[in-house]
Amino acid sequence: MDQDPKSTGTAAIEHRSFARIGFLGNPSDVYFGRTISFTIGNFWASVKLEESEHLIIKPHPFHDLVQFNSLDHLVKRLEKEGYYGGVRLLMAICKVFRNYCKHNDIHLHHHNFTLSYDTNIPRQTGLSGSSAIVSAALSCLLDFYNVRHLIKLPVRPNLVLDAEKELGIVAGLQDRVAQVYGGLVHMDFSKEHMDKLGHGIYTPMDISLLPPLHLIYAQNPSDSGKVHSRVRQRWLDGDELIVKSMEQVGNLAEEGRTALLQKDHSKLLQLMNRNFDLRRKMFGDECLGAMNIEMVEVARRIGAASKFTGSGGAVVVFCPDGPSQVKLLEEECRKSGFILEPVKIAPSCLNDSDIQSLG
């Protein structure tokens, strides 16, 4: 049965999706591990959908720039921002959404729309800027076609990831789960769940359990390292060091959930540092990049806990000694040329229809 096109109306639909921080357990999400992640209100992507005669994907005036002052301007722009904006992301999620609905007998009305987007998530900072655009667009499509109740919540991160895979983006489910659910989420990607359900088990947690945290990133990241390295292949080949280390990384999320529930901040400090140390052991310094390592070390020099928010580009920091320690961190970041700001936790974005889709 077709979903009622009258339900779309003429009003614009707009959704935000927030940047995310992988708090503990990353990158074990692509290795049948477990993670804890949360969304932050510091940065976000927004997508607007408006009904229109033709289906239009609008380029962003900055991120999809196609007019330049000169050849030098074009080259400098590409060297700084790369070749890709958000248009390809919007197209990819439209394709994946339509195909999913077709394959699952979810009938869509035939009204057209115009999609546009904006984002303030810094590029190359490991804060999931691309998937934020995709997940916000998916929310718009769910509402425009009135099918939010027909596509279950745990499935939606898979659609976001599938859209990115269309474009050759290598990633796991963790970021997409965090952005689809919002707030603080524990995720279990064990092979049993992935094989049986096609997705993990995702458990929202109270954001008030998190201690005050800070974010360190560089304004112009230039040393992102060769993030993906050969770790994936070594894991597939059964390399004992990688297999055991990745299992330990996933276990940190379990220990972290207990520490959060018990407000055991000294334990959290140990777990955060251990998470980065294990990543460094597996990937190596050349892969991680000197600037990324320095962001971690800046925090550790003043006794704070620190680790990557994702695969590099930004670092999440916990200062257990409070404001006095934060002041020391501010000074260290200033001397190193890094940006420091308090983390603003973004709460869950789920509505009643989303929660009902879990059933």
Side-chain angles (χ1 to χ4, degrees):
M1 180 178 177
D2 286 342
Q3 300 307 302
D4 182 6
K6 293 180 182 178
S7 65
T8 64
T10 57
I13 298 168
E14 189 164 4
H15 283 284
R16 277 187 179 184
S17 185
F18 293 95
R20 75 89 195 89
I21 286 177
F23 188 52
L24 288 169
N26 58 309
S28 75
D29 56 316
V30 289
Y31 302 93
F32 301 119
R34 286 153 292 187
T35 65
I36 295 175
S37 297
F38 56 86
T39 46
I40 61 173
N42 304 63
F43 306 109
W44 62 86
S46 62
V47 174
K48 180 186 289 186
L49 184 154
E50 300 171 278
E51 191 168 336
S52 55
E53 182 179 358
H54 301 286
L55 200 160
I56 301 169
I57 309 294
K58 289 180 67 173
H60 190 278
F62 177 78
H63 301 296
D64 298 290
L65 194 63
V66 292
Q67 180 175 321
F68 305 91
N69 297 329
S70 66
L71 192 57
D72 285 345
H73 180 207
L74 180 149
V75 171
K76 289 178 182 177
R77 163 72 187 209
L78 292 178
E79 288 175 346
K80 182 179 179 181
E81 302 290 339
Y83 286 89
Y84 304 119
V87 165
R88 64 181 187 140
L89 298 168
L90 298 180
M91 287 184 173
I93 188 59
C94 286
K95 176 185 176 183
V96 167
F97 171 79
R98 177 264 187 192
N99 286 347
Y100 178 87
C101 291
K102 184 177 181 180
H103 295 153
N104 290 275
D105 295 322
I106 299 173
H107 301 288
L108 306 176
H109 63 71
H110 299 296
H111 289 209
N112 282 327
F113 56 84
T114 296
L115 272 182
S116 59
Y117 79 97
D118 197 7
T119 181
N120 64 6
I121 301 175
R123 290 174 60 88
Q124 297 180 318
T125 51
L127 295 170
S128 299
S130 294
S131 58
I133 294 171
V134 179
S135 59
L138 175 60
S139 282
C140 289
L141 293 170
L142 292 172
D143 289 343
F144 180 69
Y145 287 103
N146 191 27
V147 295
R148 187 172 287 273
H149 60 297
L150 297 177
I151 301 180
K152 291 185 179 297
L153 190 61
V155 171
R156 296 177 202 168
N158 292 48
L159 301 185
V160 176
L161 182 59
D162 287 345
E164 294 180 271
K165 284 182 176 178
E166 285 276 323
L167 305 170
I169 295 173
V170 179
L173 279 167
Q174 172 190 212
D175 304 355
R176 291 90 204 149
V177 174
Q179 290 170 327
V180 165
Y181 280 67
L184 177 65
V185 187
H186 175 274
M187 311 169 203
D188 184 345
F189 299 102
S190 68
K191 192 173 188 304
E192 177 187 357
H193 299 320
M194 297 299 293
D195 288 346
K196 180 180 178 181
L197 305 172
H199 57 75
I201 300 296
Y202 312 134
T203 308
M205 300 178 68
D206 188 341
I207 60 173
S208 68
L209 295 172
L210 288 167
L213 299 168
H214 284 75
L215 183 70
I216 297 176
Y217 63 100
Q219 186 68 56
N220 296 300
S222 59
D223 180 25
S224 58
K226 299 174 183 177
V227 174
H228 293 287
S229 179
R230 290 191 64 255
V231 169
R232 177 70 177 173
Q233 189 57 51
R234 289 173 64 189
W235 181 81
L236 290 170
D237 292 341
D239 184 305
E240 186 176 359
L241 170 67
I242 301 300
V243 171
K244 287 188 175 180
S245 296
M246 202 61 75
E247 184 178 347
Q248 291 176 46
V249 170
N251 289 339
L252 295 177
E254 291 307 298
E255 295 183 63
R257 176 162 63 171
T258 300
L260 285 169
L261 292 170
Q262 296 178 351
K263 296 282 187 177
D264 187 348
H265 291 173
S266 62
K267 183 66 172 179
L268 281 180
L269 185 144
Q270 296 171 20
L271 295 174
M272 289 176 66
N273 284 335
R274 178 65 174 155
N275 203 147
F276 177 76
D277 292 344
L278 285 168
R279 177 188 279 272
R280 189 174 187 177
K281 178 181 175 183
M282 289 186 287
F283 286 81
D285 287 6
E286 183 181 0
C287 172
L288 299 187
M291 180 182 289
N292 289 326
I293 293 171
E294 177 61 16
M295 280 191 278
V296 171
E297 296 296 342
V298 158
R300 291 193 175 185
R301 282 199 290 268
I302 58 100
S306 57
K307 64 177 293 295
F308 287 176
T309 61
S311 296
V315 167
V316 59
V317 180
F318 172 41
C319 294
D321 296 338
S324 61
Q325 195 171 32
V326 172
K327 285 191 177 297
L328 294 175
L329 182 60
E330 289 173 350
E331 179 60 22
E332 288 295 322
C333 286
R334 185 192 64 77
K335 289 190 292 187
S336 298
F338 297 138
I339 298 168
L340 175 72
E341 58 183 86
V343 167
K344 304 169 186 174
I345 310 298
S348 172
C349 54
L350 304 183
N351 59 31
D352 290 342
S353 179
D354 293 326
I355 294 169
Q356 288 171 9
S357 79
L358 287 167

